[in-house]
Protein backbone atom coordinates (compact mmCIF):
# COMPACT_ATOMS: atom_id res chain seq x y z
CA UNK A 1 0.00 0.00 0.00
CA UNK A 2 1.29 3.49 -0.87
CA UNK A 3 2.27 5.76 2.03
CA UNK A 4 0.48 8.71 0.45
CA UNK A 5 -2.82 9.59 2.17
CA UNK A 6 -5.61 8.88 -0.34
CA UNK A 7 -8.66 10.95 0.56
CA UNK A 8 -10.31 11.09 -2.86
CA UNK A 9 -12.19 8.06 -4.15
CA UNK A 10 -11.80 6.86 -7.74
CA UNK A 11 -14.87 6.22 -9.89
CA UNK A 12 -14.33 3.76 -12.75
CA UNK A 13 -16.84 4.00 -15.61
CA UNK A 14 -17.18 0.57 -17.25
CA UNK A 15 -16.97 -2.71 -15.34
CA UNK A 16 -17.78 -5.26 -18.04
CA UNK A 17 -14.33 -5.30 -19.64
CA UNK A 18 -10.78 -5.81 -18.45
CA UNK A 19 -9.72 -2.18 -18.96
CA UNK A 20 -11.95 -1.14 -16.07
CA UNK A 21 -10.87 -4.19 -14.07
CA UNK A 22 -7.19 -3.34 -14.36
CA UNK A 23 -7.85 0.29 -13.46
CA UNK A 24 -9.55 -0.92 -10.26
CA UNK A 25 -6.61 -3.16 -9.42
CA UNK A 26 -4.07 -0.45 -10.18
CA UNK A 27 -5.72 1.99 -7.77
CA UNK A 28 -6.99 -0.47 -5.17
CA UNK A 29 -3.48 -1.81 -4.60
CA UNK A 30 -2.48 1.73 -3.66
CA UNK A 31 -5.12 1.84 -0.94
CA UNK A 32 -7.57 3.99 -2.88
CA UNK A 33 -11.31 3.38 -2.43
CA UNK A 34 -12.57 2.38 -5.87
CA UNK A 35 -16.17 2.66 -7.08
CA UNK A 36 -17.10 0.49 -10.07
CA UNK A 37 -19.87 1.83 -12.32
CA UNK A 38 -22.01 0.02 -14.87
CA UNK A 39 -25.63 -0.07 -16.04
CA UNK A 40 -26.21 -3.67 -14.89
CA UNK A 41 -24.43 -6.35 -12.87
CA UNK A 42 -24.80 -9.10 -15.46
CA UNK A 43 -21.51 -9.47 -17.32
CA UNK A 44 -19.79 -6.76 -15.25
CA UNK A 45 -17.13 -9.14 -13.96
CA UNK A 46 -14.83 -6.33 -12.75
CA UNK A 47 -17.30 -5.68 -9.92
CA UNK A 48 -16.21 -9.03 -8.46
CA UNK A 49 -12.69 -7.68 -7.86
CA UNK A 50 -11.61 -7.43 -4.26
CA UNK A 51 -10.32 -3.97 -5.15
CA UNK A 52 -13.82 -2.75 -6.03
CA UNK A 53 -15.01 -1.12 -2.79
CA UNK A 54 -18.52 -0.46 -4.05
CA UNK A 55 -20.64 -1.18 -7.13
CA UNK A 56 -22.72 1.69 -8.49
CA UNK A 57 -25.46 0.55 -10.90
CA UNK A 58 -26.69 3.61 -12.80
CA UNK A 59 -29.11 4.25 -15.69
CA UNK A 60 -27.74 3.37 -19.13
CA UNK A 61 -25.31 6.08 -20.28
CA UNK A 62 -26.74 6.08 -23.81
CA UNK A 63 -30.45 5.32 -23.41
CA UNK A 64 -30.86 7.76 -20.53
CA UNK A 65 -27.86 10.10 -20.59
CA UNK A 66 -29.37 12.87 -18.49
CA UNK A 67 -30.39 10.53 -15.70
CA UNK A 68 -26.99 8.82 -15.84
CA UNK A 69 -25.23 12.17 -15.33
CA UNK A 70 -27.62 13.22 -12.56
CA UNK A 71 -27.06 9.92 -10.73
CA UNK A 72 -23.31 10.21 -11.11
CA UNK A 73 -23.33 13.77 -9.76
CA UNK A 74 -25.69 12.69 -6.98
CA UNK A 75 -23.06 10.22 -5.81
CA UNK A 76 -20.27 12.82 -5.92
CA UNK A 77 -22.28 15.42 -4.02
CA UNK A 78 -22.27 13.17 -0.97
CA UNK A 79 -18.48 12.93 -0.94
CA UNK A 80 -16.30 15.20 1.21
CA UNK A 81 -13.53 15.16 -1.40
CA UNK A 82 -14.08 15.26 -5.16
CA UNK A 83 -13.70 11.76 -6.65
CA UNK A 84 -11.38 11.16 -9.59
CA UNK A 85 -13.47 10.10 -12.61
CA UNK A 86 -11.95 7.58 -15.06
CA UNK A 87 -13.93 6.52 -18.16
CA UNK A 88 -12.66 3.14 -19.42
CA UNK A 89 -14.53 2.82 -22.73
CA UNK A 90 -15.13 5.15 -25.68
CA UNK A 91 -18.87 5.68 -25.02
CA UNK A 92 -18.04 6.82 -21.48
CA UNK A 93 -15.34 9.13 -22.83
CA UNK A 94 -17.91 10.72 -25.13
CA UNK A 95 -20.51 11.31 -22.44
CA UNK A 96 -17.94 12.68 -19.98
CA UNK A 97 -16.75 15.02 -22.73
CA UNK A 98 -20.32 16.09 -23.55
CA UNK A 99 -21.19 16.87 -19.92
CA UNK A 100 -17.72 17.95 -18.81
CA UNK A 101 -18.84 21.41 -17.63
CA UNK A 102 -21.30 19.90 -15.12
CA UNK A 103 -19.03 16.99 -14.13
CA UNK A 104 -16.00 19.17 -13.37
CA UNK A 105 -17.94 20.84 -10.58
CA UNK A 106 -18.15 17.51 -8.74
CA UNK A 107 -15.29 15.32 -10.04
CA UNK A 108 -11.57 15.67 -10.73
CA UNK A 109 -10.95 15.48 -14.48
CA UNK A 110 -8.01 16.43 -16.74
CA UNK A 111 -8.32 20.11 -17.77
CA UNK A 112 -8.95 19.70 -21.48
CA UNK A 113 -11.14 21.84 -23.69
CA UNK A 114 -14.68 20.51 -24.07
CA UNK A 115 -15.07 18.66 -27.36
CA UNK A 116 -11.39 17.81 -27.85
CA UNK A 117 -11.75 14.19 -26.71
CA UNK A 118 -14.62 13.72 -29.17
CA UNK A 119 -12.54 15.31 -31.95
CA UNK A 120 -9.73 12.83 -31.33
CA UNK A 121 -12.15 9.89 -31.25
CA UNK A 122 -13.90 10.88 -34.48
CA UNK A 123 -11.87 9.76 -37.50
CA UNK A 124 -12.95 12.73 -39.62
CA UNK A 125 -11.87 15.44 -37.20
CA UNK A 126 -8.82 13.39 -36.10
CA UNK A 127 -7.52 13.23 -39.67
CA UNK A 128 -7.98 16.99 -40.02
CA UNK A 129 -6.05 17.62 -36.80
CA UNK A 130 -3.27 15.22 -37.82
CA UNK A 131 -2.82 16.81 -41.24
CA UNK A 132 -2.88 20.30 -39.72
CA UNK A 133 -0.01 19.31 -37.40
CA UNK A 134 2.04 17.51 -40.03
CA UNK A 135 1.32 13.91 -38.98
CA UNK A 136 0.85 11.37 -41.76
CA UNK A 137 -2.52 9.60 -42.07
CA UNK A 138 -3.54 6.99 -44.69
CA UNK A 139 -5.04 8.37 -47.90
CA UNK A 140 -8.78 8.75 -47.36
CA UNK A 141 -11.89 9.37 -49.45
CA UNK A 142 -15.18 10.22 -47.70
CA UNK A 143 -18.48 8.74 -48.87
CA UNK A 144 -20.06 12.12 -49.53
CA UNK A 145 -17.91 12.56 -52.66
CA UNK A 146 -19.13 11.89 -56.21
CA UNK A 147 -17.85 8.95 -58.29
CA UNK A 148 -16.31 7.39 -55.19
CA UNK A 149 -15.70 3.97 -56.77
CA UNK A 150 -13.69 5.47 -59.60
CA UNK A 151 -11.77 7.77 -57.23
CA UNK A 152 -10.79 4.86 -55.00
CA UNK A 153 -9.61 2.80 -57.97
CA UNK A 154 -7.59 5.72 -59.33
CA UNK A 155 -6.04 7.04 -56.10
CA UNK A 156 -5.07 3.86 -54.21
CA UNK A 157 -6.94 0.84 -55.56
CA UNK A 158 -7.94 -2.44 -53.94
CA UNK A 159 -8.03 -3.99 -51.42
CA UNK A 160 -9.07 -1.06 -49.26
CA UNK A 161 -10.94 -0.36 -46.03
CA UNK A 162 -14.37 1.12 -45.42
CA UNK A 163 -14.18 2.63 -41.92
CA UNK A 164 -16.66 4.58 -39.76
CA UNK A 165 -16.09 8.01 -38.25
CA UNK A 166 -17.41 6.63 -34.95
CA UNK A 167 -16.06 3.13 -34.32
CA UNK A 168 -17.99 1.91 -31.27
CA UNK A 169 -21.43 2.72 -32.75
CA UNK A 170 -20.43 0.95 -35.97
CA UNK A 171 -19.33 -2.14 -34.00
CA UNK A 172 -22.65 -2.18 -32.11
CA UNK A 173 -24.49 -2.33 -35.44
CA UNK A 174 -22.31 -4.58 -37.62
CA UNK A 175 -20.21 -6.46 -35.01
CA UNK A 176 -17.15 -5.45 -37.05
CA UNK A 177 -14.78 -2.49 -36.78
CA UNK A 178 -14.67 -1.97 -40.56
CA UNK A 179 -15.28 -3.65 -43.92
CA UNK A 180 -12.54 -4.87 -46.26
CA UNK A 181 -13.27 -4.43 -49.97
CA UNK A 182 -11.21 -6.45 -52.45
CA UNK A 183 -12.86 -4.97 -55.55
CA UNK A 184 -15.43 -2.44 -56.75
CA UNK A 185 -18.40 -4.74 -56.23
CA UNK A 186 -17.51 -5.45 -52.60
CA UNK A 187 -16.96 -1.77 -51.93
CA UNK A 188 -20.30 -0.89 -53.53
CA UNK A 189 -22.16 -3.42 -51.34
CA UNK A 190 -20.38 -2.22 -48.19
CA UNK A 191 -21.20 1.41 -48.95
CA UNK A 192 -24.87 0.47 -49.40
CA UNK A 193 -24.98 -1.18 -45.96
CA UNK A 194 -23.26 1.74 -44.26
CA UNK A 195 -25.45 4.38 -45.91
CA UNK A 196 -28.60 2.42 -45.05
CA UNK A 197 -27.70 2.67 -41.34
CA UNK A 198 -26.84 6.35 -41.68
CA UNK A 199 -23.16 6.15 -40.68
CA UNK A 200 -20.53 8.71 -41.60
CA UNK A 201 -17.76 6.67 -43.18
CA UNK A 202 -14.76 6.79 -45.50
CA UNK A 203 -12.65 4.59 -47.72
CA UNK A 204 -8.98 4.30 -46.79
CA UNK A 205 -5.79 2.92 -48.25
CA UNK A 206 -4.38 -0.12 -46.47
CA UNK A 207 -0.88 0.66 -45.24
CA UNK A 208 1.23 -2.34 -46.31
CA UNK A 209 2.78 -4.51 -43.63
CA UNK A 210 1.93 -7.38 -41.26
CA UNK A 211 0.34 -6.92 -37.84
CA UNK A 212 3.68 -6.47 -36.08
CA UNK A 213 4.00 -3.21 -38.02
CA UNK A 214 1.32 -1.81 -35.71
CA UNK A 215 2.89 0.34 -32.98
CA UNK A 216 1.61 2.51 -30.15
CA UNK A 217 2.77 5.57 -28.25
CA UNK A 218 1.33 5.39 -24.73
CA UNK A 219 1.61 8.39 -22.44
CA UNK A 220 0.26 10.59 -19.69
CA UNK A 221 0.11 14.36 -20.13
CA UNK A 222 -0.24 16.21 -16.85
CA UNK A 223 -2.49 19.14 -15.99
CA UNK A 224 0.23 21.59 -17.04
CA UNK A 225 0.59 20.05 -20.49
CA UNK A 226 3.81 18.08 -19.93
CA UNK A 227 4.33 14.53 -21.20
CA UNK A 228 5.48 13.09 -17.87
CA UNK A 229 5.20 9.32 -18.41
CA UNK A 230 5.50 7.34 -21.62
CA UNK A 231 6.71 4.32 -23.57
CA UNK A 232 5.97 2.65 -26.89
CA UNK A 233 4.70 -0.83 -27.74
CA UNK A 234 4.55 -3.16 -30.72
CA UNK A 235 1.52 -5.30 -31.50
CA UNK A 236 2.15 -8.94 -32.33
CA UNK A 237 -1.36 -10.24 -32.84
CA UNK A 238 -4.83 -8.69 -33.12
CA UNK A 239 -8.38 -9.99 -33.11
CA UNK A 240 -9.99 -9.97 -35.56
CA UNK A 241 -6.65 -10.49 -37.30
CA UNK A 242 -5.12 -7.63 -39.30
CA UNK A 243 -7.67 -4.99 -38.34
CA UNK A 244 -8.72 -5.70 -34.76
CA UNK A 245 -7.83 -4.98 -31.14
CA UNK A 246 -4.61 -6.01 -29.48
CA UNK A 247 -4.56 -9.51 -27.97
CA UNK A 248 -0.78 -10.06 -27.83
CA UNK A 249 1.48 -7.02 -27.63
CA UNK A 250 5.01 -6.40 -26.41
CA UNK A 251 6.64 -3.31 -24.96
CA UNK A 252 9.37 -2.17 -27.33
CA UNK A 253 10.76 1.34 -27.52
CA UNK A 254 10.78 3.34 -30.76
CA UNK A 255 12.10 6.91 -30.23
CA UNK A 256 10.48 8.13 -33.45
CA UNK A 257 7.01 7.48 -32.02
CA UNK A 258 7.74 9.71 -29.04
CA UNK A 259 8.88 12.48 -31.37
CA UNK A 260 5.67 12.31 -33.42
CA UNK A 261 3.17 11.44 -30.67
CA UNK A 262 4.26 13.77 -27.87
CA UNK A 263 4.38 16.78 -30.17
CA UNK A 264 0.98 16.06 -31.70
CA UNK A 265 -0.84 15.59 -28.38
CA UNK A 266 0.69 18.66 -26.74
CA UNK A 267 0.10 20.78 -29.85
CA UNK A 268 -3.64 20.01 -29.80
CA UNK A 269 -3.84 20.75 -26.05
CA UNK A 270 -4.64 17.27 -24.80
CA UNK A 271 -4.37 16.27 -21.11
CA UNK A 272 -4.65 12.86 -19.45
CA UNK A 273 -4.00 9.33 -20.77
CA UNK A 274 -3.59 8.85 -24.49
CA UNK A 275 -2.54 6.14 -26.87
CA UNK A 276 -1.78 6.80 -30.52
CA UNK A 277 -1.82 3.80 -32.84
CA UNK A 278 0.55 3.95 -35.80
CA UNK A 279 1.25 1.61 -38.68
CA UNK A 280 4.69 1.46 -40.23
CA UNK A 281 4.65 1.24 -44.02
CA UNK A 282 6.82 -1.78 -44.87
CA UNK A 283 7.81 -0.18 -48.18
CA UNK A 284 8.75 3.33 -47.05
CA UNK A 285 9.30 2.99 -43.29
CA UNK A 286 6.95 5.93 -42.63
CA UNK A 287 4.65 5.85 -39.59
CA UNK A 288 0.98 6.60 -40.27
CA UNK A 289 -1.41 7.65 -37.52
CA UNK A 290 -4.35 5.20 -37.45
CA UNK A 291 -6.31 6.26 -34.37
CA UNK A 292 -6.09 7.85 -30.94
CA UNK A 293 -7.47 6.26 -27.77
CA UNK A 294 -8.26 8.95 -25.19
CA UNK A 295 -8.68 6.43 -22.39
CA UNK A 296 -6.65 3.64 -20.82
CA UNK A 297 -5.26 1.20 -23.36
CA UNK A 298 -6.27 -2.47 -23.64
CA UNK A 299 -2.83 -3.48 -22.38
CA UNK A 300 -2.68 -1.08 -19.44
CA UNK A 301 -1.92 -4.07 -17.19
CA UNK A 302 1.35 -4.52 -19.10
CA UNK A 303 2.21 -0.83 -18.63
CA UNK A 304 1.63 -1.32 -14.91
CA UNK A 305 3.97 -4.33 -14.91
CA UNK A 306 6.81 -2.33 -16.48
CA UNK A 307 6.39 0.52 -13.99
CA UNK A 308 3.86 2.89 -15.58
CA UNK A 309 0.74 2.71 -13.42
CA UNK A 310 -1.28 5.10 -15.59
CA UNK A 311 -4.46 5.19 -13.42
CA UNK A 312 -2.40 6.06 -10.34
CA UNK A 313 -0.28 8.56 -12.28
CA UNK A 314 -3.49 10.34 -13.28
CA UNK A 315 -4.95 10.10 -9.78
CA UNK A 316 -1.90 11.69 -8.17
CA UNK A 317 -1.75 14.44 -10.79
CA UNK A 318 -5.42 15.36 -10.36
CA UNK A 319 -5.34 15.40 -6.55
CA UNK A 320 -2.38 17.80 -6.69
CA UNK A 321 0.43 15.47 -5.64
CA UNK A 322 2.04 14.37 -8.94
CA UNK A 323 4.50 11.51 -9.17
CA UNK A 324 8.01 11.92 -10.54
CA UNK A 325 8.19 11.77 -14.37
CA UNK A 326 9.19 8.40 -15.79
CA UNK A 327 9.78 6.97 -19.25
CA UNK A 328 10.47 3.37 -20.24
CA UNK A 329 12.99 3.79 -23.04
CA UNK A 330 14.55 0.33 -22.93
CA UNK A 331 13.02 -2.94 -24.17
CA UNK A 332 11.58 -4.99 -21.30
CA UNK A 333 10.32 -7.99 -23.34
CA UNK A 334 7.09 -7.98 -21.30
CA UNK A 335 4.01 -9.04 -23.31
CA UNK A 336 0.31 -8.35 -22.81
CA UNK A 337 -1.88 -11.42 -23.37
CA UNK A 338 -5.65 -11.71 -23.71
CA UNK A 339 -5.69 -15.49 -23.97
CA UNK A 340 -9.34 -16.03 -24.98
CA UNK A 341 -9.25 -13.86 -28.12
CA UNK A 342 -5.60 -14.66 -28.86
CA UNK A 343 -6.46 -18.35 -29.23
CA UNK A 344 -9.11 -17.37 -31.79
CA UNK A 345 -6.61 -15.07 -33.50
CA UNK A 346 -3.88 -17.74 -33.68
CA UNK A 347 -6.31 -20.13 -35.38
CA UNK A 348 -6.97 -17.54 -38.11
CA UNK A 349 -3.32 -16.52 -38.46
CA UNK A 350 -2.47 -20.20 -39.01
CA UNK A 351 -5.26 -20.60 -41.58
CA UNK A 352 -4.03 -17.61 -43.58
CA UNK A 353 -0.36 -18.56 -43.36
CA UNK A 354 0.60 -15.43 -41.42
CA UNK A 355 1.92 -17.46 -38.49
CA UNK A 356 3.52 -20.88 -38.07
CA UNK A 357 2.71 -23.32 -35.28
CA UNK A 358 6.27 -23.00 -34.00
CA UNK A 359 6.03 -19.20 -33.87
CA UNK A 360 2.73 -19.42 -32.01
CA UNK A 361 4.07 -21.90 -29.44
CA UNK A 362 7.36 -20.13 -28.80
CA UNK A 363 5.63 -16.77 -28.40
CA UNK A 364 3.69 -18.09 -25.40
CA UNK A 365 6.94 -18.63 -23.47
CA UNK A 366 7.50 -14.88 -23.09
CA UNK A 367 6.96 -13.00 -19.83
CA UNK A 368 3.32 -11.95 -19.79
CA UNK A 369 0.86 -9.58 -18.18
CA UNK A 370 -2.58 -11.20 -18.25
CA UNK A 371 -5.71 -9.32 -19.29
CA UNK A 372 -8.02 -10.83 -16.66
CA UNK A 373 -6.30 -13.52 -14.61
CA UNK A 374 -4.63 -12.54 -11.32
CA UNK A 375 -3.65 -14.98 -8.57
CA UNK A 376 -4.06 -12.08 -6.14
CA UNK A 377 -7.62 -11.33 -7.36
CA UNK A 378 -9.13 -14.44 -9.01
CA UNK A 379 -12.89 -13.77 -8.79
CA UNK A 380 -13.18 -11.58 -11.93
CA UNK A 381 -11.62 -14.43 -13.93
CA UNK A 382 -14.13 -16.87 -12.40
CA UNK A 383 -17.03 -14.55 -13.32
CA UNK A 384 -15.65 -14.02 -16.83
CA UNK A 385 -15.27 -17.80 -17.31
CA UNK A 386 -18.87 -18.35 -16.20
CA UNK A 387 -20.02 -15.70 -18.67
CA UNK A 388 -17.99 -17.34 -21.45
CA UNK A 389 -19.35 -20.81 -20.59
CA UNK A 390 -22.95 -19.56 -20.80
CA UNK A 391 -22.17 -17.98 -24.17
CA UNK A 392 -20.70 -21.22 -25.54
CA UNK A 393 -23.57 -23.27 -24.12
CA UNK A 394 -26.08 -20.99 -25.81
CA UNK A 395 -24.35 -21.49 -29.18
CA UNK A 396 -24.24 -25.27 -28.70
CA UNK A 397 -27.98 -25.37 -27.95
CA UNK A 398 -28.72 -23.40 -31.11
Amino acid sequence: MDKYQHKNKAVILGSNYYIGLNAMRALGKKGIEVIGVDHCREGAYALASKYCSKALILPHYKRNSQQFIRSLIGFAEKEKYKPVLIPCADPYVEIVDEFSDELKKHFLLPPIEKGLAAELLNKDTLHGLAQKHGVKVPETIWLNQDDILEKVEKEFGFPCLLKPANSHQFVETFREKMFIANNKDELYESIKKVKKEGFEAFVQRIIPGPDNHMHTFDCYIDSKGNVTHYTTCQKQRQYPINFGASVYTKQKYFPKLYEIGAKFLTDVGYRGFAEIEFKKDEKTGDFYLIEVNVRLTNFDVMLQKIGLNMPYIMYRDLVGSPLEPKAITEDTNIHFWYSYEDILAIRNYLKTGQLSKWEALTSLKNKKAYAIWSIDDPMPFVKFSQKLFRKVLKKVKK
Side-chain angles (χ1 to χ4, degrees):
M1 187 179 293
D2 199 284
K3 291 180 181 179
Y4 179 79
Q5 184 64 40
H6 305 103
K7 297 177 180 177
N8 307 72
K9 295 177 183 177
V11 176
I12 306 298
L13 300 181
S15 302
N16 65 346
Y17 199 54
Y18 57 80
I19 296 177
L21 169 63
N22 287 309
M24 290 180 190
R25 288 170 172 168
L27 295 168
K29 288 175 183 179
K30 296 294 184 180
I32 296 164
E33 192 170 344
V34 179
I35 313 301
V37 175
D38 219 295
H39 58 87
C40 68
R41 286 185 177 273
E42 186 180 354
Y45 55 86
L47 298 178
S49 172
K50 72 179 188 179
Y51 296 107
C52 180
S53 306
K54 180 180 179 181
L56 203 59
I57 307 302
L58 301 184
H60 195 282
Y61 56 86
K62 189 175 180 180
R63 293 194 289 266
N64 202 334
S65 301
Q66 293 285 349
Q67 195 176 340
F68 168 78
I69 294 297
R70 284 197 299 270
S71 299
L72 201 56
I73 289 173
F75 166 80
E77 285 177 330
K78 298 172 186 175
E79 297 299 312
K80 184 177 179 181
Y81 302 97
K82 281 186 178 183
V84 173
L85 187 63
I86 304 179
C88 290
D90 290 346
Y92 284 116
V93 170
E94 288 181 334
I95 196 164
V96 168
D97 186 46
E98 182 182 351
F99 292 93
S100 59
D101 290 340
E102 296 96 314
L103 290 170
K104 281 177 181 176
K105 297 172 186 176
H106 306 278
F107 290 93
L108 295 177
L109 291 165
I112 62 173
E113 182 182 342
K114 183 176 180 176
L116 178 58
E119 279 189 79
L120 292 169
L121 276 175
N122 184 285
K123 301 296 189 297
D124 183 14
T125 47
L126 171 61
H127 283 200
L129 282 172
Q131 290 173 324
K132 179 181 175 181
H133 292 281
V135 178
K136 290 180 182 291
V137 290
E139 292 85 341
T140 299
I141 299 173
W142 285 84
L143 297 194
N144 56 9
Q145 298 185 35
D146 296 328
D147 303 320
I148 189 167
L149 298 178
E150 287 70 25
K151 283 184 178 178
V152 168
E153 189 169 47
K154 182 180 178 182
E155 294 190 23
F156 47 80
F158 298 92
C160 60
L161 301 175
L162 179 58
K163 299 174 74 173
N166 188 304
S167 295
H168 71 264
Q169 292 178 0
F170 188 91
V171 171
E172 285 178 10
T173 302
F174 296 110
R175 314 312 301 171
E176 294 184 70
K177 287 183 71 174
M178 63 195 77
F179 295 132
I180 302 170
N182 293 295
N183 51 54
K184 272 187 176 182
D185 290 340
E186 288 184 10
L187 181 57
Y188 176 74
E189 291 302 319
S190 295
I191 289 172
K192 269 194 355 183
K193 285 195 284 188
V194 168
K195 284 188 171 180
K196 182 181 177 182
E197 297 295 334
F199 282 105
E200 282 186 77
F202 54 89
V203 185
Q204 192 174 80
R205 177 172 80 94
I206 296 176
I207 303 300
D211 282 2
N212 64 5
H213 278 230
M214 292 295 300
H215 302 270
T216 66
F217 170 62
D218 296 273
C219 71
Y220 182 75
I221 302 175
D222 71 8
S223 300
K224 297 176 182 177
N226 303 307
V227 180
T228 57
H229 298 76
Y230 64 89
T231 194
T232 68
C233 301
Q234 182 180 20
K235 291 188 179 184
Q236 303 298 296
R237 295 192 285 269
Q238 305 180 97
Y239 185 76
I241 66 171
N242 306 138
F243 304 104
S246 170
V247 292
Y248 193 69
T249 292
K250 70 177 177 180
Q251 183 278 324
K252 186 175 178 62
Y253 188 62
F254 292 85
K256 184 67 176 177
L257 299 184
Y258 169 77
E259 294 171 22
I260 303 169
K263 185 177 186 304
F264 173 69
L265 290 169
T266 53
D267 282 353
V268 300
Y270 185 74
R271 306 286 188 272
F273 320 109
E275 177 186 77
I276 304 181
E277 288 195 9
F278 294 94
K279 187 166 186 184
K280 183 180 180 181
D281 189 316
E282 67 177 356
K283 295 178 180 177
T284 67
D286 292 332
F287 287 100
Y288 286 80
L289 184 152
I290 303 300
E291 67 179 22
V292 177
N293 291 317
V294 286
R295 51 156 172 80
L296 291 167
T297 175
N298 284 39
F299 43 84
D300 185 66
V301 65
M302 179 181 71
L303 299 183
Q304 294 173 36
K305 199 174 182 71
I306 64 172
L308 295 176
N309 185 336
M310 293 297 190
Y312 190 56
I313 290 164
M314 176 180 177
Y315 179 94
R316 288 289 293 266
D317 178 43
L318 295 182
V319 299
S321 181
L323 296 170
E324 287 292 316
K326 183 176 183 178
I328 306 298
T329 56
E330 70 278 0
D331 298 338
T332 63
N333 201 37
I334 303 294
H335 292 64
F336 162 77
W337 192 36
Y338 182 28
S339 56
Y340 164 57
E341 288 193 347
D342 189 38
I343 290 167
L344 301 176
I346 287 172
R347 182 183 64 181
N348 291 333
Y349 281 115
L350 292 172
K351 279 183 181 178
T352 56
Q354 297 178 58
L355 188 71
S356 70
K357 290 180 181 178
W358 177 249
E359 288 170 331
L361 286 171
T362 54
S363 71
L364 300 180
K365 295 179 181 179
N366 294 312
K367 295 178 184 177
K368 293 183 283 293
Y370 299 95
I372 300 172
W373 169 249
S374 170
I375 196 166
D376 171 60
D377 184 32
M379 281 310 297
F381 179 79
V382 172
K383 293 292 184 183
F384 172 79
S385 299
Q386 290 172 343
K387 174 185 174 182
L388 188 60
F389 178 75
R390 287 193 293 269
K391 183 179 177 182
V392 171
L393 191 62
K394 190 176 179 181
K395 284 186 177 181
V396 169
K397 285 182 178 178
K398 281 185 178 180

